[in-house]
Amino acid sequence: MQIRTDGLIIKEKLVSEDDKLVTILTRNFGIIRAFAQSVKNLKNKNFSSTQLLCYSDFIIFKGRNKYIINESYSKHSFWSLRCNIEKLALAQYFCDLILNLIAEEQHHTEDILRLILNSLYYLSKEKIVPKLLKSTFEMRILSMSGYMPNLIYCSNCKDSGKKNFYFVPEVHGIVCDKCIRNYRAVKIKLTESVLYALRYSVYSEFNKMFAFSLKLERQDELSAITESYILKCLEKNLKTLDFYKQVVIN
Ligand SMILES: [Zn+2]
């Protein structure tokens, strides 16, 4: 049978001299791994539309145990991301997070596709500071894949009226300064503006999620928190994150 969908190429791997296996985050069919044949040939009609980070329309043949791309048409290539190592590294880290958090052929990936397309667009157009974009993406993708943290009240005494909170990855949320003594796990003190930024990235409406600002000196604080939460939920370090940190300029 044939399926038609749009999607973003989030991984590519050469499987022979001429063919590659691409991983596509589709709108309607979850994550699909499909063969793209003869795509190293520049004249091939699927050459540009099956490149990493290309957002395309696909017509895919679904066999008994494999998918093969019949036709594909590029809608947006995010080409500019390839010309900047820092942006490319961040884009690849976003793709890696999706690969690690979203099960293959899990349906309802429309919002996740929207999240990464928006993020890549903002990254390519430099509309948002990369560090804030990264933290927001991290919190949002975790929330969308079953790890939504509690950022409203103390995870221990349930009090929401306290002034001072700590972020504790272990409990997937915040703990007040009175209860924090009981926690030996990793804990990071939250300033008011960072707690606000965290809440914003997790709970705001989709089209407003990037619309907050944070002082430069607080951005590292936010980043430390979101990375600690990524580490807790994934239970491993991602090489793409290590690479991004190596190439990042500020
Ligand atoms: Zn408490």
Side-chain angles (χ1 to χ4, degrees), residues 42-70:
L42 277 164
K43 287 183 186 156
N44 185 298
K45 60 182 170 26
N46 296 330
F47 176 82
S48 59
S49 47
T50 57
Q51 303 275 322
L52 183 69
L53 299 176
C54 193
Y55 170 53
S56 305
D57 276 326
F58 297 97
I59 301 174
I60 301 170
F61 169 76
K62 186 184 181 189
R64 194 182 290 174
N65 48 22
K66 67 177 178 183
Y67 293 91
I68 298 167
I69 295 173
N70 279 349

Side-chain angles (χ1 to χ4, degrees), residues 154-159 162 175-179:
C154 171
S155 299
N156 189 48
C157 70
K158 314 295 179 204
D159 190 342
K162 293 271 171 47
V175 174
C176 76
D177 57 351
K178 204 172 156 204
C179 300

Side-chain angles (χ1 to χ4, degrees), residues 164-215:
N164 297 311
F165 285 104
Y166 288 75
F167 185 74
V168 184
E170 193 70 28
V171 300
H172 298 265
I174 55 174
V175 174
C176 76
D177 57 351
K178 204 172 156 204
C179 300
I180 197 68
R181 274 172 262 153
N182 307 324
Y183 292 86
R184 295 204 171 158
V186 176
K187 46 197 170 188
I188 306 167
K189 198 169 192 313
L190 290 162
T191 52
E192 211 173 315
S193 59
V194 169
L195 179 57
Y196 177 81
L198 279 173
R199 285 174 172 162
Y200 206 92
S201 63
V202 169
Y203 303 125
S204 66
E205 282 174 40
F206 192 93
N207 49 6
K208 291 181 184 157
M209 96 177 85
F210 296 112
F212 70 92
S213 60
L214 191 63
K215 281 185 185 158

